[in-house]
Amino acid sequence: SQKIEQNSEALNIQEGKTATLTCNYTNYSPAYLQWYRQDPGRGPVFLLLIRENEKEKRKERLKVTFDTTLKQSLFHITASQPADSATYLCALFGASKIIFGSGTRLSIRP
Amino acid sequence: DAGVIQSPRHEVTEMGQEVTLRCKPISGHDYLFWYRQTMMRGLELLIYFNNNVPIDDSGMPEDRFSAKMPNASFSTLKIQPSEPRDSAVYFCASSSRTAGSPLHFGNGTRLTVT
């Protein structure tokens, strides 16, 4: 069955460092992959989209990579700040399904 | 734009009661999705509509759940009868027809069934 895993349930890093979150999937061939941010008591908010034929996408301090051979996406936040603390979700878009990972709770300590 | 609007924000009800959750998508969006989020199972897709027509309801847990979209600006998710295991946060999201378009989520309805 289709499965999507975000390797770390929680990640705690020092302010200023680069945070790297991982999204792995099996039995799926997504056309797109997206990353969302979710704050407590709120709905997920879209951050970045990457297509299956793209290797890397950047937006300000955010970078996403997509390796369809490894079936993996990495999400990086450079120069992390306490305000980046949130849960980050990856989502796979296929022909007819949108599946979300369970999320990684990121905490940036000052 | 006001974004996706869900009501109520919180709902507490007793087992066996009917619960109706409401959603107003972003104007002009063709797709509407209902998700359920729990600590154990994460964000699960229940059903989605395209142009008011249900396309995939394979995620609806059982016959106690039903969803409707009578027009482009309104959708409901109904649970009848409700059970304690239905307790979760229910999200509505909408998106445009462009492939890969991001989902715009509402802030959810936190349902507690006692």
Side-chain angles (χ1 to χ4, degrees), chain B residues 3 6 15-16 31 33 46-47 51 62 64 68 71 83 114:
Chain B
Q6 291 187 247
M15 183 173 66
Y31 289 85
F33 305 82
L46 300 177
I47 184 171
N51 291 323
E62 46 198 273
R64 297 185 297 107
K68 294 182 179 179
N71 57 64
E83 296 182 3
T114 60

Side-chain angles (χ1 to χ4, degrees), chain B residues 45-99:
Chain B
L45 177 63
L46 300 177
I47 184 171
Y48 77 93
F49 296 82
N50 180 20
N51 291 323
N52 313 339
V53 176
I55 302 301
D56 186 344
D57 66 354
S58 59
M60 296 284 261
E62 46 198 273
D63 291 345
R64 297 185 297 107
F65 285 69
S66 62
K68 294 182 179 179
M69 192 165 185
N71 57 64
S73 59
F74 184 65
S75 177
T76 59
L77 178 68
K78 187 176 292 187
I79 308 172
Q80 165 64 20
S82 58
E83 296 182 3
R85 60 191 167 123
D86 301 330
S87 297
V89 181
Y90 290 80
F91 287 103
C92 174
S94 68
S95 73
S96 70
R97 72 172 63 219
T98 306

Side-chain angles (χ1 to χ4, degrees), chain A:
Chain A
S1 62
Q2 297 165 344
K3 196 173 179 182
I4 175 171
E5 285 184 343
Q6 294 191 241
N7 285 19
S8 301
E9 188 175 311
L11 189 61
N12 192 334
I13 68 167
Q14 183 77 41
E15 181 178 7
K17 301 291 186 185
T18 295
T20 298
L21 285 62
T22 305
C23 178
N24 293 295
Y25 59 93
T26 56
N27 298 324
Y28 207 73
S29 296
Y32 308 89
L33 187 146
Q34 295 183 351
W35 284 88
Y36 289 76
R37 169 182 172 142
Q38 186 175 21
D39 291 286
R42 308 295 295 270
V45 174
F46 169 76
L47 296 174
L48 278 170
L49 159 76
I50 189 164
R51 294 177 171 78
E52 60 180 337
N53 60 352
E54 296 176 319
K55 292 276 193 250
E56 183 179 297
K57 260 300 187 49
R58 290 176 185 262
K59 179 182 176 183
E60 297 172 352
R61 295 183 296 111
L62 308 180
K63 184 178 86 171
V64 172
T65 62
F66 194 11
D67 188 326
T68 54
T69 301
L70 291 178
K71 296 188 182 294
Q72 181 181 80
S73 175
L74 299 178
F75 177 78
H76 306 273
I77 305 175
T78 58
S80 60
Q81 305 165 0
D84 296 325
S85 298
T87 296
Y88 291 85
L89 303 157
C90 63
L92 300 183
F93 282 59
S96 60
K97 288 281 194 184
I98 304 172
I99 302 175
F100 278 83
S102 55
T104 296
R105 190 171 64 253
L106 177 65
S107 298
I108 310 296
R109 58 182 187 274

